[in-house]
Amino acid sequence: MLDTVDDLKVLLKNHLDTFEGSGKSNPLAVDARFELSPRDYLSYASEELDKNTPLSLINCVSHLKRALDCQLDSFFHIFNLYDLFKKKNLKVQKKLEFIGAIGFLNSRALVRLNTIRNKMEHQYTVPDIQDIDVYFDLITALVQLLEYATFDSAGSDFDFEIEGCKYSRFYIEYKRQDPHIHILCKSYSSDEEDLTLIVPAEGNIEDFAFCFKVMRMLNIFWDRQGGSDYVLRELNIT
């Protein structure tokens, strides 16, 4: 049975250690949406930081904010989530929480980023140079992480063989058009129907974020960069 995300968790908990990587999907190839890139804004921020005047420090924070906004929106554009999140009027806080939910920021890093972001952007004071340095490093690291993620595979599949099981292959793939995560357990017998789970971005955002993270973690597992125990731990499947 594969009707819900809970069913997926049970399947992974019981059988992930038997999975053998078989194939991978290509990364999503999508043209840039915006004229300026996050790297442009990081460059502008660096130039202002070097000047080290009250005005330039304020300008530096402004450029770092745009770098963060631009990187988040560029990432969402790649996965065709930009218009959906814009329609939902998601603020930066909620966007960062989504990025955390799919595995790019742990709770400690998210709290630290939000704390310094609020201090930098919402207080009517000249920013402290040390705070800006920390903010600069955090934004740069997140930009690099999300840049790298856009080159990752958009899915993977695995062979598995379990005594008494009627299914022999597991697929997970990101579908950009009408964005959703598509999961399939394929039967090796023509007498059995394949099991399918489709988790749309328009639906329960927590389920969608979890399945997005499953896709990312299984890419790591496919590459043998993390074992089954590591993947289950990262997915909080116990």
Side-chain angles (χ1 to χ4, degrees):
M1 184 170 65
L2 193 60
D3 297 328
T4 67
V5 170
D6 285 338
D7 293 333
L8 172 63
K9 292 178 180 179
V10 171
L11 185 151
L12 293 174
K13 179 180 179 179
N14 292 337
H15 304 308
L16 179 61
D17 61 345
T18 72
F19 280 25
E20 291 289 339
S22 177
K24 264 196 170 187
S25 304
N26 292 324
L28 299 176
V30 182
D31 291 335
R33 179 165 185 153
F34 309 113
E35 180 179 352
L36 293 175
S37 72
R39 293 284 182 174
D40 290 326
Y41 288 115
L42 287 177
S43 177
Y44 302 153
S46 180
E47 291 176 9
E48 294 294 340
L49 187 58
D50 288 341
K51 297 175 184 176
N52 196 17
T53 68
L55 178 58
S56 70
L57 295 180
I58 292 170
N59 288 339
C60 177
V61 170
S62 179
H63 290 314
L64 289 174
K65 179 182 184 301
R66 287 187 175 90
L68 174 61
D69 290 341
C70 187
Q71 183 58 67
L72 291 172
D73 288 342
S74 296
F75 178 81
F76 296 142
H77 168 64
I78 294 291
F79 291 93
N80 198 23
L81 298 172
Y82 175 79
D83 291 331
L84 172 63
F85 285 2
K86 186 176 182 180
K87 182 175 70 174
K88 290 178 177 290
N89 196 29
L90 294 189
K91 305 301 183 184
V92 173
Q93 172 74 19
K94 290 296 182 182
K95 292 178 180 179
L96 286 171
E97 288 176 4
F98 178 84
I99 292 298
I102 64 177
F104 287 107
L105 289 172
N106 61 31
S107 58
R108 183 186 299 273
L110 185 59
V111 167
R112 187 182 185 199
L113 176 57
N114 279 323
T115 297
I116 197 165
R117 182 176 66 85
N118 288 330
K119 183 178 180 180
M120 290 289 93
E121 297 176 11
H122 300 146
Q123 293 185 4
Y124 298 116
T125 59
V126 176
D128 182 81
I129 187 70
Q130 292 181 333
D131 287 339
I132 293 182
D133 282 336
V134 173
Y135 192 38
F136 195 108
D137 289 344
L138 286 171
I139 299 300
T140 300
L142 185 56
V143 166
Q144 292 171 340
L145 278 173
L146 295 184
E147 281 180 340
Y148 175 78
T150 62
F151 295 103
D152 201 2
S153 169
S156 53
D157 56 270
F158 300 85
D159 293 320
F160 65 98
E161 186 173 348
I162 306 165
E163 185 177 353
C165 182
K166 303 171 184 177
Y167 302 94
S168 61
R169 181 163 288 189
F170 176 93
Y171 296 83
I172 184 167
E173 187 173 10
Y174 193 94
K175 300 293 187 179
R176 188 176 187 275
Q177 185 175 4
D178 186 23
H180 64 274
I181 307 290
H182 182 262
I183 299 166
L184 172 70
C185 275
K186 194 167 183 62
S187 171
Y188 59 73
S189 170
S190 59
D191 297 330
E192 295 292 335
E193 292 185 358
D194 297 337
L195 301 179
T196 301
L197 177 63
I198 294 175
V199 185
E202 281 272 17
N204 184 306
I205 193 65
E206 292 181 357
D207 284 349
F208 176 74
F210 175 78
C211 291
F212 199 124
K213 186 174 183 179
V214 169
M215 180 185 71
R216 293 192 56 247
M217 296 308 303
L218 288 182
N219 281 336
I220 292 172
F221 183 74
W222 196 99
D223 291 333
R224 300 184 182 275
Q225 299 303 304
S228 58
D229 289 344
Y230 168 74
V231 170
L232 293 175
R233 185 172 63 250
E234 288 296 306
L235 294 173
N236 292 318
I237 297 177
T238 57

